Amino acid sequence: MRKPIPVDEAIERVMKWCQEGEKEYVSLEQCDGRILAEHIDATMPIPWFDRSPYDGYALSAEATAEASSDHPVLLEVVATVGAGTVWDGSLMPKQAVKIMTGAAIPDGANAVIMVELTKEIEKDGTRFVEIKRKVHEGENISRIGEDMKQGDVVVEKGTMIHPGIVAVLATFGYDRVPVMKKPKVAIISTGSELLHVYEPLEKGKIRNSNAYMLQAQIRRAGGEPILFGKVADTFEHTLYVVQKALREADVVITTGGVSVGDFDYMPRVYEHLGAQLLFNKVAMRPGSVTSAAIFEKKMLFGLSGNPSACYVGFELFARPFIKAMLGQSKRYLKRAQAVLQKDFLKPNPFTRFVRANVSYDDGMLHVEPVGKDKSNIVSSLVQANALLVLPGGTRGFQAGDRVDVLLFEDEGDDIWR
Amino acid sequence: MRKPIPVDEAIERVMKWCQEGEKEYVSLEQCDGRILAEHIDATMPIPWFDRSPYDGYALSAEATAEASSDHPVLLEVVATVGAGTVWDGSLMPKQAVKIMTGAAIPDGANAVIMVELTKEIEKDGTRFVEIKRKVHEGENISRIGEDMKQGDVVVEKGTMIHPGIVAVLATFGYDRVPVMKKPKVAIISTGSELLHVYEPLEKGKIRNSNAYMLQAQIRRAGGEPILFGKVADTFEHTLYVVQKALREADVVITTGGVSVGDFDYMPRVYEHLGAQLLFNKVAMRPGSVTSAAIFEKKMLFGLSGNPSACYVGFELFARPFIKAMLGQSKRYLKRAQAVLQKDFLKPNPFTRFVRANVSYDDGMLHVEPVGKDKSNIVSSLVQANALLVLPGGTRGFQAGDRVDVLLFEDEGDDIWR
């Protein structure tokens, strides 16, 4: 008789064993979506020289002190500097330099007036700019270090690289980027009922969908899936393939074979390996027969063969483990609160994770279960973007109740609750 | 003098030109994250045979009509069927078949009792199962078509393939999956101030960060980025590279060169090509100098060279255009409402898109601006997961106000507002 343990404890037992993986370098062009393996410090201040944020005229503010519409001031335009070029001279009080967005402020200038507020005129072959208002010292100058100071930690290790972070890496000259190696995650499907996807149907058999679903879930979690195919329902073959997978991967996920049926060999496989069983039953629906075991620091997840139970088991237990190997602090599914849109009046002794759709409406989160919620049901996985969490106990839940939801596509959270 | 047009109108002018792209086939193993190019119909009912959702005994419910703890009923166990195997016989009323999860219900059985509720005994070499409660007809049988009916549209064309959809595709035998070809999007960086990422710094110059940032944004939108490098600030070189990009890509994005500076050649490039200008100024901050033009059905986006303006211009205009080419109905950034956490008292004539972080708290969405919000500022892009929308006009905004936010990482929305 197996003793179910609470979900929180099952997660804790798994996470106790997580170890951070290794680092590798990829090109800047290939780094998006990967996890940073080092803190990124500002290698220089940003901007690293005083620059103009607009097209305009760099000048000495003092020269405009008396300027007005009635009494415009004329400054001699002694040069034009485009972004990327530098004017070597030094500005005299009655002079200005025409300056483009992003160009360095010339010596002697302490303000910029936007080109739209000026008029350029020529007198006797000399260029002048006409200015009709007072310009304040420092106006329209992006100062050294205004955006970032040299030495600031700009992005922390363990962060997923998104487009904004790519921009920061490029700015600081990271042509090659230190990222975490993707943990290798083996997928083994057990069950004589499974057909290859390309095979014709046979009575009593179904196509192997879990392996490909897990492949996509593993990629979403940041891991590198390795398909080990399906094994027949024999102890010897199951053991052989699990041993092979343990040699080649960091984490081994099996589907099926964890229940109490006559052909459920995973418990015997764990025993024969000498793996330390962490749990073999969890107080949750679906996925109560989820198992986990540790063997030579490699984690074995024994997920249910039912698609929805398999899906939930992966997201609750394998996802945070993979993300912890990647050094991510945000390893758990993001938990938020939402308003339940439907009654769940029947109490359940086990915590239920109902596939659901979370939407926003006028600043509130709403959650609605999708499809039918039996664990063998695939269709509900199409619309679900979250799991609705209904704690086990003596009470049911009513539409309008505030409930917890776990978001699949969010970056995640530092804590489980 | 350029006339700014409202953001809504600019989006409309761009989207009027979008055309759906082509279809290609990829393997089931490589389809996640791609966009479905066809509706996926249920090619068979799911389940496609009556099956047992649990390990247990298949039996005729009538035989248990009188069963109770005091008067257990004994049924002869005539066979054991594992998942994937089929029992060819037909059950007699006083018989049962031991059945594993997922196995086909034998002829003559109309219910299943879970193994945990039974006891198997042997008498005179014959196996019997002891049943202590009445089992109802239909109990614990997953019926043909209970999950999906044959011919149902299960997933719609234009949907992004996530792990749950992969499971559905596998179930229906899609070994090869029809997906939309990724639109090719050229990236051209203009500006003499730009250094390659691997080059040492030079006074007045900065490293090219926009190209790599856009590469990641294009990938996130579902496109295939092609880097065309940086061009010097000359009209001839800019024109040459834009023409080359138009031959090789579906969409051409340039950064920089769209302002009113002396070296801003993009307006002349559009003119020389004979491209139809859609707009060259938008009533928004940052990114007011964003341009768009159409040439031989290919869209040219002229984004600002300022990192934040470039980022915002891409997300508002290029992202929905790329997604429309992919046949996605959810092409626009998801708009939600959130509670503003900070005052923005100064009114602004233009709509502002402030880089911001949206978080959930007790069922509500909260939004907080991140970093400093000048358009040349990169650091704020690290923490931002959304844009806070502050409509232009005569009023400012206070902490506690309900405001619109546009979410970067959400799947998106069918409509712009």
Side-chain angles (χ1 to χ4, degrees):
Chain A
M1 209 52 191
R2 299 180 183 182
K3 194 183 168 312
I5 64 169
V7 176
D8 299 6
E9 193 183 327
I11 290 174
E12 209 176 284
R13 288 191 192 178
V14 164
M15 295 307 283
K16 227 181 69 186
W17 289 93
C18 64
Q19 283 191 311
E20 210 174 284
E22 286 166 33
K23 179 168 88 173
E24 65 181 352
Y25 285 85
V26 295
S27 76
L28 178 63
E29 296 191 29
Q30 294 302 328
C31 73
D32 53 317
R34 300 294 297 268
I35 310 300
L36 266 180
E38 293 173 7
H39 289 320
I40 301 300
D41 299 334
T43 53
M44 62 194 189
I46 302 290
W48 76 281
F49 52 88
D50 287 347
R51 57 198 290 274
S52 175
Y54 301 114
D55 297 326
Y57 292 85
L59 45 77
S60 163
E62 294 73 29
T64 67
E66 308 296 321
S68 69
S69 327
D70 299 336
H71 299 284
V73 164
L74 286 188
L75 301 180
E76 184 192 353
V77 180
V78 292
T80 297
V81 278
T85 57
V86 175
W87 187 57
D88 286 332
S90 186
L91 213 59
M92 304 300 281
K94 285 293 200 181
Q95 295 180 337
V97 162
K98 186 165 189 195
I99 192 168
M100 303 303 144
T101 305
I105 304 293
D107 285 348
N110 60 14
V112 168
I113 185 165
M114 286 171 77
V115 71
E116 291 87 342
L117 303 174
T118 65
K119 197 167 86 184
E120 198 166 307
I121 54 181
E122 208 179 299
K123 273 209 291 198
D124 309 330
T126 306
R127 291 164 69 193
F128 290 92
V129 59
E130 187 186 77
I131 293 167
K132 294 182 167 179
R133 52 159 278 214
K134 181 174 157 53
V135 182
H136 297 277
E137 196 180 324
E139 205 173 318
N140 294 329
I141 294 184
S142 294
R143 291 283 179 204
I144 292 180
E146 172 180 290
D147 188 357
M148 288 182 255
K149 305 223 177 315
Q150 186 162 356
D152 281 0
V153 174
V154 185
V155 196
E156 289 191 359
K157 178 177 181 299
T159 305
M160 185 181 292
I161 299 171
H162 59 56
I165 294 176
V166 172
V168 168
L169 290 166
T171 299
F172 292 122
Y174 281 85
D175 195 32
R176 289 165 62 68
V177 181
V179 298
M180 297 300 288
K181 267 192 190 168
K182 296 183 180 186
K184 288 183 181 162
V185 185
I187 305 166
I188 302 171
S189 310
T190 79
S192 297
E193 77 277 23
L194 298 179
L195 297 169
H196 288 293
V197 169
Y198 53 79
E199 283 183 299
L201 291 176
E202 274 174 55
K203 177 84 192 285
K205 301 204 173 193
I206 55 169
R207 296 193 185 96
N208 179 9
S209 60
N210 287 337
Y212 303 98
M213 179 180 78
L214 282 170
Q215 196 176 39
Q217 287 180 284
I218 290 165
R219 286 201 192 108
R220 184 167 65 183
E224 183 188 322
I226 312 176
L227 285 176
F228 275 79
K230 60 192 179 72
V231 299
D233 272 346
T234 72
F235 168 70
E236 291 72 20
H237 192 217
T238 308
L239 176 67
Y240 170 80
V241 178
V242 169
Q243 284 177 320
K244 187 168 184 296
L246 280 167
R247 284 192 298 273
E248 296 177 29
D250 303 305
V251 174
V252 175
I253 296 180
T254 54
T255 65
V258 284
S259 196
V260 292
D262 292 3
F263 306 104
D264 290 324
Y265 294 114
M266 285 314 297
R268 274 179 65 196
V269 167
Y270 295 153
E271 209 179 293
H272 189 273
L273 284 172
Q276 180 186 339
L277 189 72
L278 303 182
F279 53 82
N280 60 11
K281 190 147 192 170
V282 185
M284 67 180 202
R285 296 257 184 260
S288 63
V289 293
T290 305
S291 297
I294 188 96
F295 176 70
E296 291 179 353
K297 295 185 176 170
K298 292 188 175 181
M299 187 63 73
L300 293 128
F301 291 104
L303 304 183
S304 165
N306 284 333
S308 295
C310 178
Y311 188 97
V312 170
F314 178 90
E315 294 296 323
L316 292 184
F317 306 113
R319 174 193 152 112
F321 191 81
I322 293 168
K323 286 188 170 272
M325 289 190 72
L326 284 163
Q328 282 189 271
S329 59
K330 298 191 173 188
R331 51 188 67 166
Y332 299 105
L333 286 172
K334 173 78 186 168
R335 185 182 289 256
Q337 288 75 46
V339 179
L340 186 60
Q341 302 297 298
K342 199 194 140 187
D343 286 347
F344 276 86
L345 299 176
K346 200 180 154 199
N348 199 303
F350 283 3
T351 299
R352 275 195 291 175
F353 294 94
V354 182
R355 292 169 300 289
N357 194 280
V358 168
S359 58
Y360 312 102
D361 187 20
D362 199 27
M364 304 285 291
L365 266 68
H366 295 253
V367 60
E368 192 150 18
V370 287
K372 301 142 192 166
D373 193 52
K374 297 194 183 170
S375 62
N376 59 339
I377 284 198
V378 176
S379 61
S380 61
L381 288 174
V382 172
Q383 279 118 39
N385 62 9
L387 291 174
L388 158 58
V389 186
L390 298 175
T394 51
R395 66 180 275 255
F397 298 86
Q398 285 186 306
D401 282 356
R402 194 65 57 95
V403 292
D404 280 6
V405 291
L406 300 169
L407 306 175
F408 295 150
E409 301 289 349
D410 192 276
E411 198 191 344
D413 218 330
D414 293 2
I415 51 163
W416 163 243
R417 21 179 92 250
Chain B
M1 210 51 191
R2 298 182 184 181
K3 193 182 168 310
I5 63 167
V7 176
D8 299 4
E9 193 183 328
I11 290 174
E12 208 175 286
R13 289 192 191 176
V14 165
M15 296 306 285
K16 225 183 68 184
W17 290 93
C18 65
Q19 281 191 313
E20 210 174 283
E22 286 168 33
K23 178 168 88 171
E24 65 181 352
Y25 285 84
V26 295
S27 76
L28 179 63
E29 297 190 29
Q30 295 301 329
C31 73
D32 53 316
R34 299 296 296 269
I35 310 301
L36 266 179
E38 293 173 6
H39 289 319
I40 300 300
D41 299 334
T43 53
M44 60 191 189
I46 302 291
W48 74 281
F49 51 88
D50 287 347
R51 57 199 291 273
S52 175
Y54 301 114
D55 296 325
Y57 292 86
L59 44 75
S60 162
E62 294 71 30
T64 66
E66 308 294 323
S68 70
S69 329
D70 300 336
H71 299 284
V73 164
L74 286 189
L75 301 179
E76 184 191 354
V77 181
V78 292
T80 298
V81 278
T85 57
V86 175
W87 186 60
D88 286 332
S90 186
L91 213 59
M92 304 299 281
K94 284 294 200 179
Q95 295 180 335
V97 162
K98 186 164 190 196
I99 192 167
M100 303 302 145
T101 306
I105 304 293
D107 284 349
N110 61 14
V112 169
I113 185 165
M114 286 170 78
V115 71
E116 291 87 343
L117 303 174
T118 64
K119 198 167 83 182
E120 197 167 307
I121 53 181
E122 209 180 298
K123 273 209 288 197
D124 310 329
T126 305
R127 292 163 70 193
F128 289 93
V129 59
E130 187 186 78
I131 292 166
K132 293 183 166 178
R133 51 159 279 214
K134 180 173 156 57
V135 183
H136 298 278
E137 197 182 323
E139 206 174 320
N140 293 329
I141 294 183
S142 295
R143 292 283 178 203
I144 292 179
E146 171 180 293
D147 188 357
M148 289 182 254
K149 303 222 180 314
Q150 186 163 355
D152 281 0
V153 174
V154 185
V155 195
E156 289 191 359
K157 176 177 182 302
T159 305
M160 185 182 292
I161 301 172
H162 60 56
I165 293 175
V166 173
V168 168
L169 291 166
T171 298
F172 291 123
Y174 282 85
D175 194 32
R176 289 166 63 67
V177 181
V179 298
M180 297 300 287
K181 268 193 190 167
K182 296 183 181 188
K184 289 183 180 158
V185 186
I187 306 166
I188 302 171
S189 311
T190 79
S192 296
E193 76 278 24
L194 298 179
L195 297 169
H196 288 292
V197 169
Y198 51 80
E199 284 181 300
L201 291 176
E202 272 174 57
K203 177 84 194 284
K205 301 202 174 192
I206 56 168
R207 297 196 184 94
N208 179 8
S209 60
N210 286 340
Y212 302 98
M213 179 180 79
L214 282 170
Q215 197 177 39
Q217 287 180 285
I218 291 165
R219 287 201 191 108
R220 182 167 67 184
E224 183 187 321
I226 312 175
L227 286 176
F228 275 79
K230 59 194 180 72
V231 298
D233 271 346
T234 72
F235 169 68
E236 291 72 18
H237 193 217
T238 308
L239 176 66
Y240 171 79
V241 178
V242 169
Q243 283 176 322
K244 188 167 184 294
L246 279 167
R247 283 192 298 273
E248 296 176 29
D250 303 305
V251 175
V252 176
I253 296 180
T254 53
T255 65
V258 284
S259 196
V260 291
D262 291 4
F263 306 104
D264 290 324
Y265 294 114
M266 285 313 298
R268 272 180 65 198
V269 168
Y270 294 153
E271 209 180 292
H272 189 275
L273 283 172
Q276 181 185 342
L277 190 71
L278 303 182
F279 53 83
N280 61 10
K281 188 146 194 169
V282 185
M284 67 180 200
R285 296 255 186 262
S288 64
V289 294
T290 305
S291 296
I294 189 95
F295 177 70
E296 290 179 354
K297 294 186 178 169
K298 293 190 175 180
M299 187 63 73
L300 293 129
F301 291 104
L303 304 182
S304 165
N306 285 332
S308 294
C310 178
Y311 188 98
V312 169
F314 179 89
E315 294 297 324
L316 292 184
F317 306 113
R319 174 193 151 112
F321 190 81
I322 293 169
K323 286 188 171 271
M325 287 190 73
L326 284 163
Q328 282 188 271
S329 59
K330 298 191 173 190
R331 51 189 66 167
Y332 299 105
L333 286 173
K334 173 79 188 169
R335 184 182 289 256
Q337 287 75 45
V339 179
L340 185 60
Q341 303 296 299
K342 201 193 138 187
D343 287 347
F344 276 87
L345 299 177
K346 200 179 154 199
N348 199 303
F350 283 3
T351 299
R352 274 193 293 173
F353 294 94
V354 181
R355 291 169 303 286
N357 195 279
V358 168
S359 58
Y360 311 103
D361 186 19
D362 198 27
M364 304 285 291
L365 265 68
H366 296 252
V367 59
E368 190 150 20
V370 288
K372 301 142 191 166
D373 193 54
K374 297 196 182 168
S375 61
N376 59 338
I377 283 196
V378 176
S379 61
S380 61
L381 288 174
V382 172
Q383 278 116 42
N385 63 8
L387 291 173
L388 158 57
V389 186
L390 298 176
T394 50
R395 66 180 277 254
F397 298 86
Q398 285 185 307
D401 282 357
R402 193 64 57 93
V403 292
D404 279 6
V405 291
L406 299 169
L407 306 175
F408 295 150
E409 300 289 348
D410 193 278
E411 198 192 344
D413 217 331
D414 294 2
I415 50 163
W416 162 243
R417 15 181 97 251

